[in-house]
Amino acid sequence: MHFSIPETEVRSGENGSTYVIKKEYGNNVVPAFPPKKIFTLTPAEVEQRREQLEKYMQAVRQDPMLGASEMFNSFLRKAQQETQQIPTEEVPLEIYLSKRQKVTVNILTSDQTEDVLEAVASKLDLPDDLAGYFSLFLVREGVDGGLTFVRKLQDFELPYVSVTSLRSSEFYIALRKSYWDTAYDSDVMDNRVGLNLLYTQTVSDIERGWILVNKDQHRQLKSLQEKGSKKEFIRLCQTLKYFGYIQFDPCVTDFPEKGCHAIVSAGNNELNFQVKLPNEQMKEGSFKVTRMRCWRVTSSQVPVANGTASTSPCSSAKCEVKLELAFEYLMSKDRLQWVTITSRQAIMMSICLQSMVDELMVKKSGGSIKKMLRKRPNGSLHRSESQQAVKSPPLLDSPDPDREQIVKLSTKLSSVSLRGISASNSANDVSGNDFHGNYAFEGIGDDDL
């Protein structure tokens, strides 16, 4: 879990005194609770206290007992409402299933993520035991139509407050499967609604270029669409490159060289890098989560003045939050190396890594990822309400011949297999020899992860 307090606001109380309002998300350094001061804080002191409170929240959340307590989570929920000054009332909330489809559910502004997910499952007639295979995500749509997955909504979050507080139509909440092992697809596809949800998501991922499809595969998929063969469509897609991956916005990494621009994707228990080197050469490599010893997310306030970096402190200049994900990776048998990604989606990347590890550990122990949703205490939603089926999306458009495709290259760099990427009109994806290593998952312990 990551918290940050990206900004502060000073308000006056009834007696004329001032107090600082807190907001949430991103750092993980364990401190003592920051002491209060009697006199009015200077801008520099406000910034210092912001950082201290941020670290304190992270420390509390990392404590297994306190972090899971209803008291702490209730505090977080109330803080969201009070910060945004949103009263508890019934409201409609739109949940997107794909770019073209959405459902509207009636919820309370104080409903947390699990409540909203249950309301969506009820509206779609998705069984409770399958609802746990899905999660709600905060998504941002760019001017070019591209999607940015900002984060997975956490249990303590109030989805209505989270999306409303952003005050922008670019942000919305989307439903997406929340598991990584494609073996679980069979469970979902056994149900009509689950099948439609997975099918709709797969079509959307192809259209946005997250799943690579060559011309021959495209013809096969379109034929299956025309026949209405959704299961066969998904099974064919399961064999395609990047099926089930989440792709992040362009970012910067220090691997294999400092300052490299990259496209990072999460899926198949790995982070996939498509890297542009300083010499303009494109390469690709994968980092398996089973070879990551640990990772961390750090945030910092970067001064910005007139759109450029500034040397002025944040107290006297406009600031933006800089997020970095760093992981320690077993490059070879006896060599660990830190790899850093600078990205606005660093927290989302970390959440993906953690969910991959959690899923692997559950599978190793013989458990199940199924999560039964608790029943809403007010009983305001029932299966008898009008249901809204998930409709089939239109047929796939022809693949873009100008899209950069991956061809095999034998180059190896720092023990991680990298494959060159070049523009190709063949639209064929030729698989290379990914670096998987010899680090057995059976040997992973808490210290390794």
Side-chain angles (χ1 to χ4, degrees):
M1 187 65 63
H2 305 277
F3 293 92
S4 73
I5 303 174
E7 62 187 54
T8 61
E9 179 181 352
V10 178
R11 296 186 179 183
S12 295
E14 294 179 358
N15 60 356
S17 62
T18 61
Y19 53 94
V20 178
I21 301 293
K22 297 174 288 187
K23 293 187 179 180
E24 89 275 10
Y25 297 109
N27 213 338
N28 62 352
V29 179
V30 179
F33 188 82
K36 292 184 178 181
K37 293 188 177 182
I38 299 176
F39 303 104
T40 302
L41 300 180
T42 65
E45 289 173 331
V46 169
E47 172 60 18
Q48 182 184 37
R49 185 163 177 79
R50 181 201 67 78
E51 293 178 352
Q52 292 172 339
L53 288 171
E54 186 177 83
K55 294 175 182 179
Y56 175 77
M57 291 294 291
Q58 185 67 36
V60 173
R61 186 60 180 86
Q62 286 182 334
D63 184 283
M65 181 176 65
L66 294 177
S69 70
E70 174 58 25
M71 179 180 294
F72 180 64
N73 285 286
S74 176
F75 160 75
L76 294 174
R77 293 194 296 270
K78 291 178 180 178
Q80 294 173 74
Q81 279 191 278
E82 291 176 0
T83 299
Q84 300 303 326
Q85 299 183 359
I86 296 178
T88 298
E89 59 184 354
E90 186 171 322
V91 292
L93 180 64
E94 293 182 338
I95 306 294
Y96 282 75
L97 310 177
S98 70
K99 190 174 181 180
R100 302 182 185 92
Q101 298 182 44
K102 60 185 177 182
V103 295
T104 300
V105 292
N106 293 319
I107 63 165
L108 295 177
T109 54
S110 58
D111 279 343
Q112 59 197 71
T113 300
E114 188 176 33
D115 296 323
V116 177
L117 180 58
E118 182 183 346
V120 175
S122 180
K123 188 67 176 285
L124 295 173
D125 204 19
L126 181 68
D128 291 340
D129 62 339
L130 290 184
Y133 285 101
F134 294 86
S135 292
L136 299 176
F137 294 83
L138 181 64
V139 177
R140 181 175 187 174
E141 183 174 8
V143 292
D144 59 352
L147 292 183
T148 297
F149 275 72
V150 179
R151 67 175 181 273
K152 177 182 175 181
L153 296 185
Q154 301 301 302
D155 292 340
F156 65 82
E157 275 196 82
L158 310 183
Y160 178 84
V161 175
S162 293
V163 71
T164 303
S165 64
L166 295 169
R167 296 178 176 85
S168 173
S169 59
E170 296 176 353
F171 293 90
Y172 57 85
I173 297 174
L175 182 75
R176 184 178 176 86
K177 75 175 187 179
S178 58
Y179 57 88
W180 303 99
D181 190 341
T182 57
Y184 293 118
D185 288 341
S186 297
D187 295 343
V188 176
M189 289 192 293
D190 283 342
N191 174 265
R192 175 185 58 84
V193 177
L195 171 63
N196 288 337
L197 287 171
L198 187 57
Y199 172 74
T200 299
Q201 175 183 308
T202 303
V203 172
S204 295
D205 286 354
I206 292 175
E207 291 178 340
R208 63 173 62 109
W210 287 11
I211 300 175
L212 294 187
V213 182
N214 63 35
K215 292 181 179 178
D216 182 60
Q217 293 163 342
H218 177 268
R219 285 192 292 268
Q220 296 179 56
L221 291 172
K222 192 168 184 178
S223 175
L224 291 173
Q225 276 191 310
E226 292 171 343
K227 296 176 182 177
S229 303
K230 296 179 181 179
K231 285 188 178 181
E232 290 74 12
F233 180 96
I234 294 172
R235 291 193 180 105
L236 176 56
C237 288
Q238 288 174 333
T239 68
L240 304 181
K241 192 171 182 65
Y242 303 134
F243 173 81
Y245 281 62
I246 290 179
Q247 187 178 110
F248 303 102
D249 292 345
C251 58
V252 177
T253 178
D254 64 357
F255 184 89
E257 301 177 40
K258 187 176 181 180
C260 288
H261 293 269
I263 298 293
V264 177
S265 302
N268 193 30
N269 298 321
E270 68 180 18
L271 286 183
N272 179 273
F273 280 38
Q274 296 180 37
V275 182
K276 177 185 263 187
L277 301 179
N279 62 4
E280 300 300 312
Q281 187 178 10
M282 298 294 294
K283 293 184 179 292
E284 182 190 29
S286 296
F287 295 89
K288 292 292 182 181
V289 69
T290 50
R291 295 178 67 88
M292 294 180 186
R293 184 177 181 276
C294 60
W295 66 85
R296 62 172 179 250
V297 173
T298 58
S299 66
S300 58
Q301 295 281 332
V302 180
V304 176
N306 298 324
T308 59
S310 171
T311 57
S312 303
C314 284
S315 57
S316 60
K318 181 179 179 181
C319 294
E320 64 180 12
V321 178
K322 177 184 178 182
L323 290 172
E324 289 185 338
L325 169 72
F327 57 88
E328 193 175 21
Y329 196 74
L330 186 66
M331 294 291 183
S332 59
K333 184 177 180 180
D334 300 312
R335 186 168 71 89
L336 286 162
Q337 178 179 334
W338 281 96
V339 177
T340 301
I341 305 168
T342 302
S343 168
R344 294 178 300 176
Q345 294 171 283
I347 294 175
M348 180 64 184
M349 292 179 186
S350 175
I351 291 173
C352 289
L353 290 177
Q354 186 61 57
S355 63
M356 289 178 189
V357 171
D358 291 343
E359 189 172 304
L360 285 171
M361 298 306 289
V362 168
K363 188 173 183 179
K364 180 184 176 184
S365 65
S368 171
I369 67 168
K370 287 187 178 182
K371 177 185 177 183
M372 295 292 292
L373 292 177
R374 59 181 174 79
K375 293 297 182 181
R376 293 164 64 86
N378 57 13
S380 59
L381 292 172
H382 303 282
R383 295 293 187 190
S384 59
E385 290 187 4
S386 59
Q387 311 296 342
Q388 182 167 343
V390 184
K391 302 176 182 177
S392 296
L395 295 181
L396 292 169
D397 295 328
S398 298
D400 182 359
D402 296 324
R403 183 192 303 163
E404 288 185 333
Q405 300 295 334
I406 301 170
V407 295
K408 185 176 181 181
L409 186 68
S410 59
T411 304
K412 288 188 177 182
L413 186 58
S414 298
S415 301
V416 177
S417 174
L418 297 173
R419 298 191 301 279
I421 303 174
S422 62
S424 172
N425 292 329
S426 65
N428 287 315
D429 171 35
V430 183
S431 62
N433 182 25
D434 280 346
F435 173 71
H436 298 287
N438 299 316
Y439 197 52
F441 177 67
E442 286 73 19
I444 286 185
D446 292 340
D447 292 339
D448 297 314
L449 295 176

